[in-house]
PDB file of all heavy atoms in Angstrom:
ATOM      1  N   CYS Y  62    -125.150  58.047 -48.989  1.00  0.00           N
ATOM      2  CA  CYS Y  62    -123.742  58.324 -49.335  1.00  0.00           C
ATOM      3  C   CYS Y  62    -123.137  57.257 -50.255  1.00  0.00           C
ATOM      4  O   CYS Y  62    -122.214  57.552 -51.016  1.00  0.00           O
ATOM      5  CB  CYS Y  62    -122.903  58.484 -48.071  1.00  0.00           C
ATOM      6  SG  CYS Y  62    -123.421  59.936 -47.123  1.00  0.00           S
ATOM      7  N   ALA Y  64    -124.296  56.252 -52.866  1.00  0.00           N
ATOM      8  CA  ALA Y  64    -124.563  56.632 -54.266  1.00  0.00           C
ATOM      9  C   ALA Y  64    -123.681  57.802 -54.710  1.00  0.00           C
ATOM     10  O   ALA Y  64    -123.750  58.213 -55.872  1.00  0.00           O
ATOM     11  CB  ALA Y  64    -126.041  56.988 -54.428  1.00  0.00           C
ATOM     12  N   ILE Y  65    -122.867  58.349 -53.815  1.00  0.00           N
ATOM     13  CA  ILE Y  65    -121.963  59.443 -54.189  1.00  0.00           C
ATOM     14  C   ILE Y  65    -120.718  58.818 -54.825  1.00  0.00           C
ATOM     15  O   ILE Y  65    -119.926  58.160 -54.155  1.00  0.00           O
ATOM     16  CB  ILE Y  65    -121.571  60.304 -52.954  1.00  0.00           C
ATOM     17  CG1 ILE Y  65    -122.810  60.865 -52.267  1.00  0.00           C
ATOM     18  CG2 ILE Y  65    -120.576  61.399 -53.339  1.00  0.00           C
ATOM     19  CD1 ILE Y  65    -123.513  62.001 -52.967  1.00  0.00           C
ATOM     20  N   ARG Y  66    -120.594  58.990 -56.127  1.00  0.00           N
ATOM     21  CA  ARG Y  66    -119.503  58.332 -56.858  1.00  0.00           C
ATOM     22  C   ARG Y  66    -118.361  59.271 -57.210  1.00  0.00           C
ATOM     23  O   ARG Y  66    -117.290  58.846 -57.612  1.00  0.00           O
ATOM     24  CB  ARG Y  66    -120.035  57.690 -58.154  1.00  0.00           C
ATOM     25  CG  ARG Y  66    -121.019  56.589 -57.918  1.00  0.00           C
ATOM     26  CD  ARG Y  66    -120.312  55.446 -57.175  1.00  0.00           C
ATOM     27  NE  ARG Y  66    -121.253  54.495 -56.628  1.00  0.00           N
ATOM     28  CZ  ARG Y  66    -121.798  53.494 -57.302  1.00  0.00           C
ATOM     29  NH1 ARG Y  66    -121.496  53.326 -58.557  1.00  0.00           N
ATOM     30  NH2 ARG Y  66    -122.636  52.684 -56.712  1.00  0.00           N
ATOM     31  N   SER Y  67    -118.638  60.589 -57.131  1.00  0.00           N
ATOM     32  CA  SER Y  67    -117.569  61.547 -57.409  1.00  0.00           C
ATOM     33  C   SER Y  67    -117.802  62.752 -56.517  1.00  0.00           C
ATOM     34  O   SER Y  67    -118.935  62.991 -56.068  1.00  0.00           O
ATOM     35  CB  SER Y  67    -117.567  61.958 -58.879  1.00  0.00           C
ATOM     36  OG  SER Y  67    -118.433  63.059 -59.055  1.00  0.00           O
ATOM     37  N   PRO Y  68    -116.748  63.524 -56.217  1.00  0.00           N
ATOM     38  CA  PRO Y  68    -116.894  64.650 -55.286  1.00  0.00           C
ATOM     39  C   PRO Y  68    -117.986  65.637 -55.700  1.00  0.00           C
ATOM     40  O   PRO Y  68    -118.612  66.260 -54.853  1.00  0.00           O
ATOM     41  CB  PRO Y  68    -115.518  65.303 -55.321  1.00  0.00           C
ATOM     42  CG  PRO Y  68    -114.577  64.212 -55.721  1.00  0.00           C
ATOM     43  CD  PRO Y  68    -115.357  63.340 -56.649  1.00  0.00           C
ATOM     44  N   ARG Y  69    -118.258  65.774 -57.006  1.00  0.00           N
ATOM     45  CA  ARG Y  69    -119.266  66.753 -57.435  1.00  0.00           C
ATOM     46  C   ARG Y  69    -120.705  66.250 -57.252  1.00  0.00           C
ATOM     47  O   ARG Y  69    -121.650  67.034 -57.332  1.00  0.00           O
ATOM     48  CB  ARG Y  69    -119.068  67.160 -58.918  1.00  0.00           C
ATOM     49  CG  ARG Y  69    -117.721  67.747 -59.266  1.00  0.00           C
ATOM     50  CD  ARG Y  69    -117.176  68.742 -58.273  1.00  0.00           C
ATOM     51  NE  ARG Y  69    -117.967  69.979 -58.105  1.00  0.00           N
ATOM     52  CZ  ARG Y  69    -117.754  70.843 -57.115  1.00  0.00           C
ATOM     53  NH1 ARG Y  69    -116.836  70.611 -56.207  1.00  0.00           N
ATOM     54  NH2 ARG Y  69    -118.490  71.924 -57.033  1.00  0.00           N
ATOM     55  N   ASP Y  70    -120.868  64.960 -57.032  1.00  0.00           N
ATOM     56  CA  ASP Y  70    -122.225  64.402 -56.899  1.00  0.00           C
ATOM     57  C   ASP Y  70    -123.000  64.998 -55.725  1.00  0.00           C
ATOM     58  O   ASP Y  70    -124.225  64.965 -55.709  1.00  0.00           O
ATOM     59  CB  ASP Y  70    -122.190  62.879 -56.682  1.00  0.00           C
ATOM     60  CG  ASP Y  70    -121.871  62.131 -57.961  1.00  0.00           C
ATOM     61  OD1 ASP Y  70    -121.810  62.785 -59.021  1.00  0.00           O
ATOM     62  OD2 ASP Y  70    -121.667  60.903 -57.889  1.00  0.00           O
ATOM     63  N   TRP Y  71    -122.299  65.554 -54.732  1.00  0.00           N
ATOM     64  CA  TRP Y  71    -123.000  66.152 -53.597  1.00  0.00           C
ATOM     65  C   TRP Y  71    -123.901  67.302 -54.042  1.00  0.00           C
ATOM     66  O   TRP Y  71    -124.957  67.532 -53.472  1.00  0.00           O
ATOM     67  CB  TRP Y  71    -122.012  66.728 -52.580  1.00  0.00           C
ATOM     68  CG  TRP Y  71    -121.132  65.727 -51.919  1.00  0.00           C
ATOM     69  CD1 TRP Y  71    -119.817  65.483 -52.220  1.00  0.00           C
ATOM     70  CD2 TRP Y  71    -121.466  64.838 -50.857  1.00  0.00           C
ATOM     71  NE1 TRP Y  71    -119.327  64.495 -51.398  1.00  0.00           N
ATOM     72  CE2 TRP Y  71    -120.314  64.094 -50.548  1.00  0.00           C
ATOM     73  CE3 TRP Y  71    -122.635  64.604 -50.119  1.00  0.00           C
ATOM     74  CZ2 TRP Y  71    -120.292  63.121 -49.547  1.00  0.00           C
ATOM     75  CZ3 TRP Y  71    -122.606  63.644 -49.126  1.00  0.00           C
ATOM     76  CH2 TRP Y  71    -121.459  62.907 -48.851  1.00  0.00           C
ATOM     77  N   ARG Y 107    -119.684  54.473 -46.874  1.00  0.00           N
ATOM     78  CA  ARG Y 107    -119.849  53.688 -48.106  1.00  0.00           C
ATOM     79  C   ARG Y 107    -119.486  54.462 -49.355  1.00  0.00           C
ATOM     80  O   ARG Y 107    -119.735  54.020 -50.475  1.00  0.00           O
ATOM     81  CB  ARG Y 107    -121.270  53.125 -48.228  1.00  0.00           C
ATOM     82  CG  ARG Y 107    -121.454  51.951 -47.327  1.00  0.00           C
ATOM     83  CD  ARG Y 107    -122.702  51.168 -47.593  1.00  0.00           C
ATOM     84  NE  ARG Y 107    -122.846  50.169 -46.564  1.00  0.00           N
ATOM     85  CZ  ARG Y 107    -122.337  48.941 -46.635  1.00  0.00           C
ATOM     86  NH1 ARG Y 107    -121.684  48.549 -47.704  1.00  0.00           N
ATOM     87  NH2 ARG Y 107    -122.482  48.109 -45.634  1.00  0.00           N
ATOM     88  N   THR Y 108    -118.920  55.639 -49.179  1.00  0.00           N
ATOM     89  CA  THR Y 108    -118.339  56.320 -50.338  1.00  0.00           C
ATOM     90  C   THR Y 108    -116.854  56.480 -50.026  1.00  0.00           C
ATOM     91  O   THR Y 108    -116.454  56.486 -48.857  1.00  0.00           O
ATOM     92  CB  THR Y 108    -119.030  57.672 -50.634  1.00  0.00           C
ATOM     93  OG1 THR Y 108    -118.535  58.172 -51.871  1.00  0.00           O
ATOM     94  CG2 THR Y 108    -118.824  58.690 -49.532  1.00  0.00           C
ATOM     95  N   THR Y 109    -116.035  56.571 -51.064  1.00  0.00           N
ATOM     96  CA  THR Y 109    -114.586  56.575 -50.833  1.00  0.00           C
ATOM     97  C   THR Y 109    -114.153  57.890 -50.175  1.00  0.00           C
ATOM     98  O   THR Y 109    -114.799  58.929 -50.371  1.00  0.00           O
ATOM     99  CB  THR Y 109    -113.833  56.387 -52.167  1.00  0.00           C
ATOM    100  OG1 THR Y 109    -114.326  57.360 -53.082  1.00  0.00           O
ATOM    101  CG2 THR Y 109    -114.060  55.004 -52.738  1.00  0.00           C
ATOM    102  N   PRO Y 110    -113.072  57.861 -49.404  1.00  0.00           N
ATOM    103  CA  PRO Y 110    -112.647  59.050 -48.647  1.00  0.00           C
ATOM    104  C   PRO Y 110    -112.440  60.298 -49.509  1.00  0.00           C
ATOM    105  O   PRO Y 110    -112.727  61.410 -49.042  1.00  0.00           O
ATOM    106  CB  PRO Y 110    -111.331  58.605 -48.006  1.00  0.00           C
ATOM    107  CG  PRO Y 110    -111.469  57.120 -47.873  1.00  0.00           C
ATOM    108  CD  PRO Y 110    -112.265  56.680 -49.062  1.00  0.00           C
ATOM    109  N   ASP Y 111    -111.980  60.173 -50.753  1.00  0.00           N
ATOM    110  CA  ASP Y 111    -111.777  61.385 -51.575  1.00  0.00           C
ATOM    111  C   ASP Y 111    -113.111  62.089 -51.862  1.00  0.00           C
ATOM    112  O   ASP Y 111    -113.157  63.304 -52.049  1.00  0.00           O
ATOM    113  CB  ASP Y 111    -111.036  61.060 -52.881  1.00  0.00           C
ATOM    114  CG  ASP Y 111    -111.717  59.939 -53.639  1.00  0.00           C
ATOM    115  OD1 ASP Y 111    -112.146  58.951 -52.990  1.00  0.00           O
ATOM    116  OD2 ASP Y 111    -111.855  60.052 -54.866  1.00  0.00           O
ATOM    117  N   ASN Y 112    -114.190  61.327 -51.839  1.00  0.00           N
ATOM    118  CA  ASN Y 112    -115.502  61.952 -52.060  1.00  0.00           C
ATOM    119  C   ASN Y 112    -115.974  62.767 -50.851  1.00  0.00           C
ATOM    120  O   ASN Y 112    -116.953  63.512 -50.944  1.00  0.00           O
ATOM    121  CB  ASN Y 112    -116.563  60.891 -52.379  1.00  0.00           C
ATOM    122  CG  ASN Y 112    -116.363  60.299 -53.762  1.00  0.00           C
ATOM    123  OD1 ASN Y 112    -115.763  60.944 -54.627  1.00  0.00           O
ATOM    124  ND2 ASN Y 112    -116.827  59.089 -53.971  1.00  0.00           N
ATOM    125  N   HIS Y 113    -115.291  62.615 -49.729  1.00  0.00           N
ATOM    126  CA  HIS Y 113    -115.694  63.371 -48.539  1.00  0.00           C
ATOM    127  C   HIS Y 113    -115.155  64.798 -48.547  1.00  0.00           C
ATOM    128  O   HIS Y 113    -115.650  65.642 -47.803  1.00  0.00           O
ATOM    129  CB  HIS Y 113    -115.207  62.675 -47.266  1.00  0.00           C
ATOM    130  CG  HIS Y 113    -115.930  61.386 -46.981  1.00  0.00           C
ATOM    131  ND1 HIS Y 113    -115.279  60.241 -46.605  1.00  0.00           N
ATOM    132  CD2 HIS Y 113    -117.243  61.071 -47.026  1.00  0.00           C
ATOM    133  CE1 HIS Y 113    -116.168  59.273 -46.419  1.00  0.00           C
ATOM    134  NE2 HIS Y 113    -117.363  59.749 -46.675  1.00  0.00           N
ATOM    135  N   ASN Y 114    -114.136  65.051 -49.370  1.00  0.00           N
ATOM    136  CA  ASN Y 114    -113.492  66.375 -49.325  1.00  0.00           C
ATOM    137  C   ASN Y 114    -114.461  67.557 -49.406  1.00  0.00           C
ATOM    138  O   ASN Y 114    -114.344  68.491 -48.621  1.00  0.00           O
ATOM    139  CB  ASN Y 114    -112.402  66.490 -50.395  1.00  0.00           C
ATOM    140  CG  ASN Y 114    -111.216  65.599 -50.042  1.00  0.00           C
ATOM    141  OD1 ASN Y 114    -110.961  65.361 -48.863  1.00  0.00           O
ATOM    142  ND2 ASN Y 114    -110.526  65.085 -51.042  1.00  0.00           N
ATOM    143  N   PRO Y 115    -115.433  67.542 -50.332  1.00  0.00           N
ATOM    144  CA  PRO Y 115    -116.312  68.718 -50.437  1.00  0.00           C
ATOM    145  C   PRO Y 115    -117.139  68.988 -49.178  1.00  0.00           C
ATOM    146  O   PRO Y 115    -117.598  70.111 -48.988  1.00  0.00           O
ATOM    147  CB  PRO Y 115    -117.238  68.372 -51.612  1.00  0.00           C
ATOM    148  CG  PRO Y 115    -116.522  67.333 -52.379  1.00  0.00           C
ATOM    149  CD  PRO Y 115    -115.728  66.551 -51.382  1.00  0.00           C
ATOM    150  N   ILE Y 116    -117.339  67.976 -48.347  1.00  0.00           N
ATOM    151  CA  ILE Y 116    -118.195  68.248 -47.170  1.00  0.00           C
ATOM    152  C   ILE Y 116    -117.380  68.617 -45.924  1.00  0.00           C
ATOM    153  O   ILE Y 116    -117.946  69.006 -44.914  1.00  0.00           O
ATOM    154  CB  ILE Y 116    -119.188  67.097 -46.860  1.00  0.00           C
ATOM    155  CG1 ILE Y 116    -118.470  65.773 -46.607  1.00  0.00           C
ATOM    156  CG2 ILE Y 116    -120.217  66.960 -47.959  1.00  0.00           C
ATOM    157  CD1 ILE Y 116    -119.403  64.693 -46.050  1.00  0.00           C
ATOM    158  N   LEU Y 117    -116.057  68.525 -46.027  1.00  0.00           N
ATOM    159  CA  LEU Y 117    -115.245  68.837 -44.841  1.00  0.00           C
ATOM    160  C   LEU Y 117    -115.452  70.279 -44.380  1.00  0.00           C
ATOM    161  O   LEU Y 117    -115.597  70.546 -43.191  1.00  0.00           O
ATOM    162  CB  LEU Y 117    -113.758  68.572 -45.111  1.00  0.00           C
ATOM    163  CG  LEU Y 117    -113.361  67.091 -45.176  1.00  0.00           C
ATOM    164  CD1 LEU Y 117    -111.868  66.957 -45.441  1.00  0.00           C
ATOM    165  CD2 LEU Y 117    -113.732  66.349 -43.909  1.00  0.00           C
TER     166      LEU Y 117
END
Side-chain angles (χ1 to χ4, degrees):
C62 295
I65 303 286
R66 296 296 166 83
S67 88
R69 302 317 296 168
D70 285 353
W71 296 102
R107 283 192 187 271
T108 188
T109 52
D111 53 318
N112 289 336
H113 290 135
N114 290 331
I116 58 169
L117 287 180

